[in-house]
Amino acid sequence: MRRFLVFILIPLILNIVYSENSVYTTEWTYLTKGEIRNLSLMGNVIIFSSGEYEGFHDQYTENKIYAFDLHGKKLWEKECPYLIKKIQIEKNIYFSSGRYFYCYDPYFSELWHYSTNSDVKDFYVYDNEIFLFLEDGTIKFLTTDGKEK
């Protein structure tokens, strides 16, 4: 059985995903056009987002979510309109970008998305319910089908 270490190089270089195998030889690296955020594992898939550096918005920075297998093969990427603040993996993949909240299945197909009047500050998916905390102080309750409760 092969084991992998996946980590982000923190000092000065915030935009490289780097993987080593169990004998500490480099398996693969991937360079993004933004700061790596929200690194998660879903089985044998690495999911992370890349976005603007805190306080440094420029036209060359991307706001994307990526999925790679453990061998460095890119399985999926999606460009989002705004910084991806959080990713939560349950049975599906949930993430927020600005005033949008997305739900994708494990095969990276969009199941639904939900639009609000204010940016999504945080969210939690728990027991078939979704709690969206918005920047304007309101809380939205959704079902896991994306319908308002």
Side-chain angles (χ1 to χ4, degrees), residues 54-102:
E54 206 64 49
F56 295 100
H57 177 71
D58 67 61
Q59 66 204 32
Y60 305 107
T61 304
E62 65 187 10
N63 289 309
K64 288 186 177 180
I65 184 168
Y66 293 95
F68 283 82
D69 70 12
L70 293 178
H71 302 286
K73 178 182 175 195
K74 188 190 309 181
L75 304 172
W76 174 66
E77 76 177 58
K78 175 180 175 37
E79 180 101 33
C80 292
Y82 305 101
L83 178 68
I84 300 162
K85 290 190 178 176
K86 182 178 178 181
I87 299 170
Q88 185 172 337
I89 298 171
E90 297 295 325
K91 185 174 80 173
N92 294 315
I93 304 162
Y94 300 92
F95 60 97
S96 63
S97 173
R99 59 186 195 88
Y100 301 98
F101 183 76
Y102 299 91

Side-chain angles (χ1 to χ4, degrees), residues 109-143:
S109 296
E110 183 175 315
L111 297 175
W112 53 267
H113 69 273
Y114 182 81
S115 176
T116 68
N117 293 327
S118 180
D119 283 358
V120 177
K121 183 176 182 179
D122 201 359
F123 69 87
Y124 295 95
V125 179
Y126 177 74
D127 195 27
N128 294 322
E129 292 186 314
I130 300 168
F131 305 92
L132 298 180
F133 299 92
L134 306 182
E135 289 287 342
D136 67 4
T138 59
I139 301 173
K140 296 278 187 179
F141 300 97
L142 306 177
T143 66

Side-chain angles (χ1 to χ4, degrees), residues 19-33:
S19 172
E20 290 185 348
N21 63 25
S22 59
V23 292
Y24 305 108
T25 57
T26 301
E27 280 289 321
W28 58 272
T29 60
Y30 186 78
L31 178 65
T32 67
K33 294 181 182 174

